[in-house]
Amino acid sequence: VIYDNVVKQNTPRGAVETIFLSILSRRPTVDERTLAMKEIEQAETPAAGCGNLIWGLLNTREFMFIQ
């Protein structure tokens, strides 16, 4: 799956950057990066944390506006 590749090829910080750029076409703010990295680190696996982040970003108003 896509986020498995993102996790394997990046640090948590790199994964967050890649996910934000891919979904919202922008880099995360400092607060967003902090929360996203915490989610990845506290999830059962890093891949699960990235999946949660992706799901969350796909359900934001910002993403719906981009679409």
Side-chain angles (χ1 to χ4, degrees):
V1 181
I2 294 170
Y3 48 83
D4 286 331
N5 291 333
V6 170
V7 172
K8 289 176 186 173
Q9 296 175 8
N10 287 296
T11 62
R13 183 182 176 100
V16 169
E17 292 282 328
T18 300
I19 292 168
F20 265 81
L21 286 169
S22 298
I23 295 175
L24 299 180
S25 301
R26 67 171 179 81
R27 296 191 187 285
T29 64
V30 173
D31 290 338
E32 290 170 336
R33 181 179 297 111
T34 301
L35 290 171
M37 288 179 60
K38 186 183 290 187
E39 174 61 35
I40 291 171
E41 292 166 357
Q42 292 179 349
E44 190 173 311
T45 65
C50 286
N52 294 341
L53 176 57
I54 291 168
W55 179 253
L57 292 178
L58 290 175
N59 286 290
T60 63
R61 289 181 183 247
E62 184 175 349
F63 178 76
M64 288 189 265
F65 178 75
I66 291 172
Q67 292 298 310

